[in-house]
Amino acid sequence: MVAQYVGRNDYAKTNEATMQGIISTTFISIFIMILLLVFNRPLIQLVYHGVEPQVMDYGITYFSIVLFSFPFIALTLMANRILRGARDTKIAAISNVVANIFNILLTYLFLYVFKWEIVGAALGISLARVIGTLYVMWILIKGKKAIQFGKIQLYRPQFNYLRQIFYVGVPAGIESIIFHLGKLLIQVFIGG
């Protein structure tokens, strides 16, 4: 949608689509995070049944901490797609590089300097995701030619935008879920 509106030089609709996408992504990702937090232990036990108790405890601890970064992942993905739609692929790439550099640095610090073991690994990747999100959101709020996210004051659900977003997003989301379920299935076989 952003790419279509940018192509038409309709920046008001570009900004509205941006706001609707960011807000809906935030609410949906928080809902999924809470759902996964509630079912954390049963999910880990279902996927990695038969592993040693210590490995199971590590998996549950890691997943519990990393789950809090899920809304940040979702926001980064949405913001990067918005920027790509606005013809700014450079910022989207930089945000990924920034997050990966911080992931390496923080995880190394937490694992080898502070000796936080599994908690350090989970905190390293989670904080890196937060930093990547803050960077890309700062770019959106600061504003580019097409996107002036910071100028939009109040959010009100615009169902005509949301309908279009979900029309494209739901099939893409289902495809992504199927892809990740396949990866998870491979991990289960390897883990077994």
Side-chain angles (χ1 to χ4, degrees):
M1 286 179 59
V2 167
Q4 290 174 6
Y5 293 137
V6 167
R8 295 181 204 149
N9 293 325
D10 190 343
Y11 299 126
K13 287 186 177 179
T14 300
N15 290 326
E16 192 58 45
T18 297
M19 177 63 88
Q20 297 297 320
I22 293 291
I23 299 298
S24 63
T25 297
T26 302
F27 286 127
I28 291 168
S29 62
I30 289 172
F31 172 76
I32 292 171
M33 177 194 72
I34 291 169
L35 192 67
L36 290 172
L37 278 170
V38 169
F39 295 105
N40 177 8
R41 181 173 290 277
L43 280 172
I44 297 293
Q45 289 173 336
L46 175 71
V47 174
Y48 297 109
H49 62 282
V51 299
E52 296 176 18
Q54 184 180 15
V55 175
M56 181 64 67
D57 290 341
Y58 281 158
I60 291 167
T61 300
Y62 183 86
F63 194 51
S64 297
I65 295 168
V66 169
L67 273 175
F68 286 100
S69 71
F70 276 23
F72 294 97
I73 295 170
L75 280 173
T76 300
L77 290 171
M78 176 61 79
N80 283 341
R81 287 185 175 109
I82 287 167
L83 287 167
R84 286 184 187 112
R87 300 181 188 136
D88 194 346
T89 57
K90 180 180 171 186
I91 297 297
I94 290 171
S95 75
N96 287 328
V97 170
V98 166
N100 284 318
I101 287 171
F102 274 98
N103 183 16
I104 292 166
L105 294 174
L106 292 173
T107 302
Y108 180 86
L109 178 73
F110 296 153
L111 281 176
Y112 298 109
V113 176
F114 296 142
K115 310 272 190 223
W116 288 351
E117 297 178 344
I118 200 72
V119 171
L123 279 176
I125 194 167
S126 298
L127 290 175
R129 289 171 175 169
V130 171
I131 291 167
T133 302
L134 292 175
Y135 172 76
V136 77
M137 292 303 293
W138 174 70
I139 296 295
L140 283 180
I141 290 168
K142 188 175 80 166
K144 305 292 280 174
K145 178 184 174 192
I147 300 170
Q148 298 292 318
F149 187 67
K151 293 183 179 178
I152 301 172
Q153 301 299 320
L154 296 173
Y155 170 74
R156 288 177 304 286
Q158 301 289 332
F159 293 105
N160 56 331
Y161 287 98
L162 291 173
R163 204 173 308 111
Q164 291 176 1
I165 290 169
F166 290 126
Y167 181 77
V168 173
V170 169
I174 291 170
E175 177 189 7
S176 181
I177 288 170
I178 291 169
F179 173 74
H180 289 291
L181 283 175
K183 284 174 44 179
L184 186 63
L185 205 59
I186 290 170
Q187 286 181 342
V188 169
F189 291 138
I190 292 170

